[in-house]
Amino acid sequence: MTPEHKKVEELASIKWQRDRPGPLWIRWLARSKPNGSGLKRWQTWIWWTRRQSSRAKLGALIICVRGIIEAPYEAWGGLRRFGNKTKLVYGIPLITQYRQLLMLRWRSGIRPDQYYKFHLFRPDRLDLAQDFLKDIGPMLQVIHRHAPRTQDAQIFSNKGAFEHWCAENNIPTVTNILKINEGKIISGTAGALPPSDLFIKPANWIQGRGASLWRYDQESTEQYYNGNSGSVLTPEELEEFACQTSLESGRPYIVQKVLTNHSGLRKLTNGCLATVRFMTVRGSNTSAQPLMAALRMPTGGAVVDNFDRGGIAAPIDLATGVCGPGIQKKGALPPDVLDTHPDTGSTISGFHLPYWAECRALTCRAHNLIEAPVPVIGWDVGILDDGPILIEANHLPCDNLAQMPGGFPLGKSLFAEVVHDRLRSSFISETGRGA
């Protein structure tokens, strides 16, 4: 890495610092198993030991007790909102839904939104309900807080550092044409924007927030056009726009050339880039392994494919690279299942992704090269005509994107084994760092 990218980075703030559990907590946590139920014990401990007053803890305890007592009313509320759609589409009687909602709330603390979001009314998923996890971020934050600091940890929060790290390790990635901070160009050549479509986005934000797509009109105006705002800018004006956006938002920004998917994949997009979210896991003494994968497809007027911003996500078979049917998170629960892309009409289910073996090898190799002991990484992979490239690395990958598309419960996977082992070694074993 260049000198400016060689500082040691913390992946989690002091908020996620935890002391070694007391005797009662130790006894309870030591009995946890590497599955959904076991990880939920650790989630309870992490939540309960956050910095808060005794009065706040008492209030939270009262809310928990009230939640159990009010479960019939909560279940009825969920049934009123989502029950009729579930009955119409999946044929699950309302009385069956209500009975399952009560059972899951009392036995496992699962609320109606989780029941409908993960399609737990399906017979093949109901028995696995306990293994579907919610809010995995705090668990991972605590693990990161108690891990050794490393220089390459900043690749998760700084897209410029990620580009340098990829270059040093001969990993294909997108090139940043300009890097801008506090309204000033800090890398790249001013006044030299290329005559091509450009993508402008924050260097340290998530879910496609703040991103804009600018199409270049080479034949007539030689200007850049933004389809959402209708703005038409010259190269000089677009450069000024990027600098001003960075200054006003207080965030560093980057300018990149727009990437184009592999020719066979373009029929599953709205013209913008579709990416694969590929999650890998790595234990303390093991090499990285594939965990799950989903194809994210942009729709409508969206310039990004993010699942939380209306994109479609389809599960991918890790062995074959074949997609299942897609789902869309936006709209009323349960999520709609889509066999075809709404913009192109092309079939999603059964589509075989090109360069699949290369995608697997690239993400696992990249995870093994990272010095930071990050147990799970969500990679954003672009599949182009000449092969896959890495676009981003996420150390706090989305649990919804991991579990919703294919009904893949994280609590019944390598994720549970690796994360459970890291928590035990940090806070229960004699050599743990939590003491």
Side-chain angles (χ1 to χ4, degrees), residues 107-353:
R107 289 183 181 179
S108 307
I110 294 174
R111 295 182 178 276
D113 64 324
Q114 293 172 269
Y115 172 79
Y116 290 107
K117 180 169 65 176
F118 296 130
H119 287 200
L120 300 183
F121 45 80
R122 289 175 45 170
D124 60 328
R125 298 189 189 180
L126 184 60
D127 291 340
L128 300 173
Q130 185 62 38
D131 288 311
F132 283 86
L133 300 176
K134 180 182 180 182
D135 298 332
I136 64 173
M139 278 193 301
L140 297 177
Q141 292 274 36
V142 169
I143 288 174
H144 297 152
R145 179 66 190 178
H146 292 265
R149 301 177 186 177
T150 62
Q151 291 178 352
D152 60 8
Q154 63 179 312
I155 70 171
F156 298 105
S157 59
N158 185 304
K159 292 177 175 63
F162 181 74
E163 180 193 10
H164 280 279
W165 179 84
C166 287
E168 286 188 342
N169 290 284
N170 197 29
I171 291 174
T173 189
V174 59
T175 300
N176 296 320
I177 299 169
L178 293 179
K179 300 174 189 174
I180 304 167
N181 194 24
E182 296 180 350
K184 298 179 180 179
I185 296 173
I186 59 174
S187 179
T189 303
L193 290 180
S196 63
D197 296 343
L198 298 178
F199 201 60
I200 301 175
K201 62 180 180 179
N204 62 353
W205 223 352
I206 60 174
Q207 297 178 352
R209 296 172 183 166
S212 60
L213 173 65
W214 296 83
R215 299 291 187 186
Y216 184 72
D217 184 358
Q218 188 168 1
E219 296 184 357
S220 57
T221 65
E222 296 185 350
Q223 294 178 321
Y224 298 92
Y225 172 73
N226 181 268
N228 289 332
S229 66
S231 300
V232 179
L233 302 178
T234 65
E236 294 76 15
E237 290 171 339
L238 183 58
E239 192 174 286
E240 176 60 28
F241 166 81
C243 292
Q244 190 64 27
T245 302
S246 168
L247 183 64
E248 292 176 355
S249 67
R251 291 182 177 276
Y253 265 68
I254 54 177
V255 180
Q256 302 172 336
K257 281 188 178 182
V258 169
L259 301 176
T260 302
N261 279 122
H262 185 281
S263 57
L265 183 54
R266 293 170 203 166
K267 62 184 179 182
L268 295 181
T269 79
N270 63 353
C272 296
L273 188 72
T275 62
V276 171
R277 166 54 60 89
F278 204 120
M279 286 177 65
T280 56
V281 290
R282 188 180 73 184
S284 300
N285 300 303
T286 60
S287 298
Q289 300 182 59
L291 178 65
M292 62 72 58
L295 176 64
R296 301 186 304 185
M297 296 158 275
T299 62
V303 300
V304 293
D305 61 1
N306 297 75
F307 193 42
D308 283 331
R309 300 180 71 83
I312 301 170
I316 305 171
D317 184 278
L318 285 176
T320 65
V322 175
C323 295
I327 69 165
Q328 204 162 20
K329 186 178 177 183
K330 73 174 184 179
L333 295 175
D336 294 323
V337 177
L338 304 174
D339 290 318
T340 60
H341 193 284
D343 298 326
T344 67
S346 296
T347 302
I348 298 170
S349 184
F351 180 81
H352 190 284
L353 287 163

